[in-house]
Amino acid sequence: MASTLEKFIHCLDPRSLPRVLQIQSGIYCQGSIYELFGNECCLSTGEVIKVIGFKINKLIASICENNEVSQFSAKVELPLNFPGLYKVVADKTPYVSIEEITRKVSIGPTRFGHPCFYSPEDIKLANLTIKQGEQITFNSVEEVNGTMTVICTVVRNNQAHPFALSLSQKGAFFECDDDQIYTLKEIAEWKIPRCRSRVVKLSKALHTRDRFNPLPQNFDGCLILTPVYEVQAVMKFRKDIVHILSDLDVEVKDITDCYDINSFLHPLSLEDVFERTSKEFPMVAEIMEGPSGCPKLFNLLYTGKEIFIYKKYQATRILASEIRSDSPKRHFLIPMSYKGKFKRRPREFLTAYDLEIARTEKEQLHVVATKAFDSPHEELFSVAVGDQFLVQQCQTSEVLYEGRKKLIDVLACEQILSNTYKKVLLPMYMEGGFVEVIHDKKQYQLSEICRQFRFPFNVKVAVRDLSIEEDVLAAMPGLRFEEELTDSYLLISSASSPAESWEIPVYRLNMLVHLLNKDAQTAVPPVTKTMVEEISEEQYYMVRRYENQTLHPPPRPPKKPT
């Protein structure tokens, strides 16, 4: 039975892809030609296409008041790369079954694909009872003993308890509040349920540069987002991907069950390639859709190019940010193979507590005060601008407080005088300002810095990496090494002239390939080219958020006695 493309995509379960469609009728019948996203495409009556995916192409946004569209709000169109970070507002409409959740909500292996729900009533299982209001995390959809189930966890006393819920489980399931922040692209890909809109609240407005902002000036409220989908399809006699907006006036018929789907090319994303077993590497692939808006090196990855994919692996990167007082700062991911050398740059500290975190046993921390501090206790030291200190250790000290003696945390230091040292105590709650004095003139390799010092750590390139044609790090006045990250990469090279190989990030490079039936088992990867990857501000917040989820934050600094 024929239906409009929009209705078909609206009802389509992503798990049923790919689907083969036949064009029935519409304004693009009888060989009409149109061009969309740079892809010229002919949709004639009787044409057969294979739908391999669909994703949100853009968002229609309306200003929201009390979770309803404001009567004075005009609808605006927002591209997925519209700058800003947003919080998702929990949907107050419940889901009536686990099956409905799996059909409408994205559940997957990435960090985005673990939605959380709660039930207003207890759920009694064979060996576990889920209490009303308890947060249930949905991790994956799997077949258990012939029954499709959702693998879930609840956390009690910091311990995760796994269990399975059958898709046939009925009840009311509400979304839990989500305190994470997301870009619009992340929300579009993972956080908008099928057949529903999504309310979001602006958490952080990012720098828009010269881009037109359709939202009201200084807007910080809520938006209702309604998606417009883009259909990705393969045509019979083309090797590239065709993009079709779902709201085009085209009627289609699903003929998957009576058509040989293997007669089409089979596109793979980099994530699909990465999920293949290690035994399947190396392989030869042809690029069906190359990345856009990427660094100069990635511009070599154009549609139609054949590449060797040698292996998949996890690799370490150092997340570094440009040191500058104004914004926006530039952010980089530096591979451990970087051959340049660094000199230390002074760090700045806002509190005595920061000094305690930064100090190490290897060398004594020498700082100069940049802000005065008057101590409320005679037993503790008052700091003047220009005072110099050698940081010793954290300890407790007895002070007189409201006529009674009280123990508080303090930082023991030595004040540097003209020809002597004076032992002083600084309250740990002290809010001041200090800048580090660097005595170390040594030049360090990246691996030495990671091994010998704690992050964050300030540096400047002293000797650039001569193996890189344009070492962007050498032009930076200073860099702040923030974290050591681990990410997924594929090692590739050009199949026609494999003079060098490159590491390409699996989750930050949008590219589609199809595998070629060519022997690559004897292919040996050439020397790997060192590449410093510059990332956007949205990607910076994304990788920092991911890493911070696995780290335990330091204890909060002690409060000033009141």
Side-chain angles (χ1 to χ4, degrees):
M1 186 172 124
S3 67
T4 64
L5 180 62
E6 184 173 28
K7 183 178 179 181
F8 178 82
I9 296 299
H10 184 78
C11 301
L12 181 61
D13 186 345
R15 294 171 296 182
S16 69
L17 292 174
R19 308 300 296 178
V20 178
L21 304 183
Q22 186 177 55
I23 307 300
Q24 298 296 298
S25 64
I27 59 172
Y28 296 111
C29 62
Q30 301 302 325
S32 297
I33 303 282
Y34 71 96
E35 189 171 326
L36 189 62
F37 304 109
N39 290 314
E40 188 183 81
C41 172
C42 172
L43 286 181
S44 57
T45 300
E47 180 77 57
V48 177
I49 62 174
K50 182 174 77 168
V51 176
I52 60 172
F54 56 95
K55 61 183 180 179
I56 296 175
N57 171 264
K58 56 188 176 183
L59 296 165
I60 306 300
S62 304
I63 294 178
C64 172
E65 295 177 359
N66 299 321
N67 283 359
E68 295 182 356
V69 177
S70 169
Q71 60 179 328
F72 304 108
S73 172
K75 293 184 178 181
V76 296
E77 190 175 291
L78 296 180
L80 299 189
N81 61 353
F82 186 76
L85 296 170
Y86 303 82
K87 282 193 173 184
V88 170
V89 177
D91 193 341
K92 290 184 170 58
T93 303
Y95 294 84
V96 298
S97 68
I98 299 299
E99 186 275 333
E100 185 188 8
I101 292 176
T102 61
R103 189 162 32 88
K104 295 183 177 180
V105 178
S106 297
I107 302 173
T110 73
R111 298 172 180 89
F112 296 122
H114 300 315
C116 297
F117 295 86
Y118 71 90
S119 171
E121 298 179 355
D122 289 354
I123 302 175
K124 295 182 179 180
L125 305 174
N127 55 357
L128 185 69
T129 297
I130 310 303
K131 299 175 184 177
Q132 63 177 30
E134 193 168 20
Q135 179 171 299
I136 306 170
T137 302
F138 286 42
N139 297 314
S140 62
V141 180
E142 300 178 12
E143 185 176 333
V144 178
N145 299 326
T147 303
M148 292 305 297
T149 61
V150 178
I151 305 302
C152 307
T153 55
V154 293
V155 178
R156 295 172 178 171
N157 298 323
N158 294 325
Q159 185 174 356
H161 299 271
F163 62 95
L165 286 177
S166 170
L167 266 60
S168 60
Q169 178 80 41
K170 305 289 185 181
F173 297 93
F174 293 86
E175 282 188 335
C176 294
D177 291 331
D178 187 347
D179 60 357
Q180 294 293 315
I181 55 175
Y182 304 94
T183 64
L184 275 187
K185 186 173 185 293
E186 293 167 350
I187 290 172
E189 291 177 351
W190 291 95
K191 297 300 177 181
I192 298 184
R194 302 283 295 151
C195 308
R196 296 195 184 195
S197 298
R198 170 60 78 190
V199 179
V200 298
K201 179 173 175 55
L202 182 62
S203 176
K204 180 180 176 62
L206 300 181
H207 186 67
T208 58
R209 299 184 180 175
D210 296 327
R211 182 181 299 174
F212 170 71
N213 186 352
L215 298 177
Q217 189 173 5
N218 301 322
F219 176 76
D220 63 352
C222 291
L223 297 171
I224 294 183
L225 304 179
T226 303
V228 174
Y229 290 94
E230 171 194 311
V231 181
Q232 298 167 294
V234 179
M235 301 188 74
K236 193 75 175 182
F237 302 107
R238 295 179 60 149
K239 288 187 176 182
D240 56 351
I241 306 299
V242 175
H243 302 265
I244 308 168
L245 285 181
S246 61
D247 58 356
L248 290 178
D249 188 14
V250 175
E251 288 198 344
V252 298
K253 181 180 179 181
D254 190 341
I255 60 170
T256 306
D257 295 337
C258 56
Y259 201 89
D260 181 14
I261 202 166
N262 294 320
S263 61
F264 289 92
L265 293 177
H266 182 46
L268 298 172
S269 66
L270 295 186
E271 292 95 325
D272 295 330
V273 175
F274 192 83
E275 288 173 3
R276 300 232 161 184
T277 63
S278 297
K279 293 180 180 179
E280 296 179 71
F281 293 87
M283 57 184 68
V284 184
E286 180 180 347
I287 299 174
M288 295 185 69
E289 186 168 78
S292 60
C294 291
K296 183 178 179 181
L297 176 60
F298 293 153
N299 289 340
L300 300 174
L301 304 175
Y302 51 83
T303 299
K305 186 179 181 67
E306 291 188 13
I307 58 173
F308 282 124
I309 306 177
Y310 295 100
K311 60 180 179 177
K312 65 172 186 176
Y313 51 90
Q314 301 285 318
T316 300
R317 292 292 186 271
I318 303 301
L319 176 63
S321 295
E322 179 185 15
I323 297 177
R324 56 187 297 174
S325 57
D326 57 340
S327 67
K329 298 179 176 65
R330 297 172 71 181
H331 308 286
F332 306 93
L333 291 174
I334 309 174
M336 298 304 293
S337 60
Y338 181 80
K339 300 179 182 63
K341 291 187 176 182
F342 300 93
K343 291 177 67 174
R344 296 173 62 176
R345 286 264 329 249
R347 291 171 288 178
E348 295 183 359
F349 307 97
L350 299 179
T351 67
Y353 182 74
D354 293 324
L355 297 177
E356 163 61 17
I357 293 175
R359 75 177 182 88
T360 63
E361 300 297 332
K362 182 181 177 183
E363 66 172 355
Q364 204 160 35
L365 183 59
H366 179 189
V367 296
V368 178
T370 58
K371 185 178 178 181
F373 169 77
D374 291 325
S375 172
H377 308 291
E378 292 183 1
E379 300 89 344
L380 305 181
F381 190 70
S382 292
V383 177
V385 174
D387 285 348
Q388 297 192 45
F389 302 96
L390 296 177
V391 178
Q392 302 292 332
Q393 63 187 13
C394 175
Q395 62 187 55
T396 57
S397 178
E398 209 173 54
V399 298
L400 196 62
Y401 177 68
E402 294 184 348
R404 292 185 298 175
K405 291 184 177 179
K406 182 179 180 180
L407 280 177
I408 68 169
D409 292 330
V410 296
L411 188 64
C413 300
E414 288 185 341
Q415 183 189 13
I416 302 175
L417 302 175
S418 55
N419 52 10
T420 186
Y421 298 92
K422 176 184 176 182
K423 293 186 180 296
V424 298
L425 299 177
L426 304 179
M428 200 68 82
Y429 62 77
M430 168 187 170
E431 293 182 1
F434 301 92
V435 64
E436 184 179 19
V437 178
I438 301 293
H439 301 283
D440 182 3
K441 305 300 182 185
K442 181 181 174 181
Q443 296 179 355
Y444 291 90
Q445 299 279 2
L446 187 59
S447 58
E448 293 177 309
I449 293 176
C450 295
R451 190 169 57 248
Q452 298 180 27
F453 301 102
R454 290 181 183 176
F455 288 176
F457 195 74
N458 294 356
V459 298
K460 175 178 170 55
V461 174
V463 179
R464 75 178 186 89
D465 187 340
L466 298 177
S467 69
I468 301 177
E469 184 177 344
E470 295 180 14
D471 187 351
V472 65
L473 300 182
M476 298 294 105
L479 291 167
R480 181 179 177 87
F481 287 174
E482 301 194 28
E483 294 182 39
E484 187 173 312
L485 312 176
T486 302
D487 208 351
S488 304
Y489 289 87
L490 294 171
L491 185 66
I492 72 164
S493 74
S494 169
S496 58
S497 54
E500 57 188 12
S501 59
W502 322 296
E503 294 176 327
I504 59 173
V506 172
Y507 297 108
R508 286 186 302 280
L509 200 64
N510 293 320
M511 189 169 83
L512 290 174
V513 303
H514 74 95
L515 301 183
L516 301 178
N517 189 20
K518 293 185 178 181
D519 182 26
Q521 294 304 310
T522 58
V524 178
V527 61
T528 302
K529 182 180 180 67
T530 297
M531 190 184 75
V532 175
E533 182 186 354
E534 183 169 358
I535 59 176
S536 66
E537 190 171 1
E538 288 93 340
Q539 290 172 328
Y540 166 78
Y541 280 104
M542 183 172 66
V543 297
R544 288 226 68 183
R545 179 181 65 227
Y546 290 168
E547 287 299 315
N548 289 340
Q549 286 179 343
T550 64
L551 300 174
H552 296 290
R556 296 181 60 147
K559 293 182 179 179
K560 178 179 178 179
T562 58

